[in-house]
Amino acid sequence: MPRLSALPLLLLTLACLPAVAADEAHDHHGNHPAHVHGVGKLDVALEGNTLTLHLDTPLINVVGFEHAASSGKDKDAVRAAAKTLREVGRIFVTDAAAQCKPAEIQLESAVLAPELLGEKTPASAQDAASDGHADLDGDFTLVCASPGALNTVDVSGLFAAFPGFQRIDVQLATPKKQGAVQLVPGSAVIPLN
């Protein structure tokens, strides 16, 4: 009989697993997606002639570690990643006819000194992730002379520059389209129409 009474408990435990998994998909602050190595989140919005992209990724995807950069090697890795991310035209390729030019770029991580990321002013005060998982946030603003000619954003350069990315989950909002797209190496073009 004891085995029979354990069965309902086992079934109840299995039934609760999806809820636990869903709860774990959010950080303890409730404002970031799940921290999954290899996966980044990219929000893309087009309003008027302004294209904004917000990248939220585990730090390991772009620098290979998730701790404060204390060694010279770590600091060099952060500087190199920041320099690459600031080459917006290489990382986020827009249609040439749209004539999009970078207007503003901001990189931020709770565990990295702003100057290592190429920031001239200190980032807003943040607490370092207490669970050992650190992220990098990148905000990229482009101004397009002919936004009507903007049909796609090719993110292949991001995958090529940072092989730590296995997938990028995109949320898209433009005057013509709203939705979600999942990008992987070899299939990294975001359709805007």
Side-chain angles (χ1 to χ4, degrees):
M1 283 299 204
R3 289 186 183 187
L4 291 177
S5 64
L7 184 59
L9 181 59
L10 176 62
L11 292 175
L12 179 62
T13 302
L14 290 174
C16 291
L17 284 179
V20 172
D23 185 49
E24 291 297 317
H26 301 290
D27 73 5
H28 301 289
H29 305 290
N31 59 2
H32 286 288
H35 180 98
V36 179
H37 294 184
V39 178
K41 180 179 182 276
L42 183 65
D43 296 325
V44 180
L46 178 63
E47 186 173 338
N49 67 341
T50 304
L51 176 66
T52 57
L53 302 109
H54 174 78
L55 178 66
D56 183 359
T57 180
L59 190 58
I60 197 166
N61 293 349
V62 293
V63 297
F65 58 85
E66 290 191 316
H67 53 266
S70 53
S71 72
K73 180 180 176 184
D74 287 352
K75 290 178 182 179
D76 289 346
V78 172
R79 285 187 195 101
K83 181 180 177 192
T84 299
L85 286 168
R86 290 178 182 283
E87 296 173 3
V88 177
R90 182 177 146 215
I91 299 298
F92 302 113
V93 179
T94 57
D95 299 288
Q99 301 176 44
C100 298
K101 304 286 182 216
E104 185 178 347
I105 300 164
Q106 183 176 0
L107 303 175
E108 186 174 7
S109 175
V111 299
L112 298 175
E115 57 273 9
L116 288 177
L117 295 169
E119 294 296 322
K120 300 197 180 1
T121 57
S124 60
Q126 291 184 353
D127 295 328
S130 59
D131 61 0
H133 296 291
D135 290 337
L136 176 82
D137 289 318
D139 289 301
F140 308 89
T141 303
L142 292 87
V143 176
C144 305
S146 301
L150 185 60
N151 297 308
T152 61
V153 176
D154 187 340
V155 185
S156 299
L158 189 62
F159 284 108
F162 303 105
F165 282 108
Q166 299 166 10
R167 185 180 88 219
I168 298 174
D169 296 330
V170 178
Q171 289 291 321
L172 175 67
T174 73
K176 297 179 184 177
K177 185 176 185 177
Q178 292 184 2
V181 178
Q182 203 171 76
L183 305 177
V184 294
S187 180
V189 176
I190 304 167
L192 301 179
N193 298 328

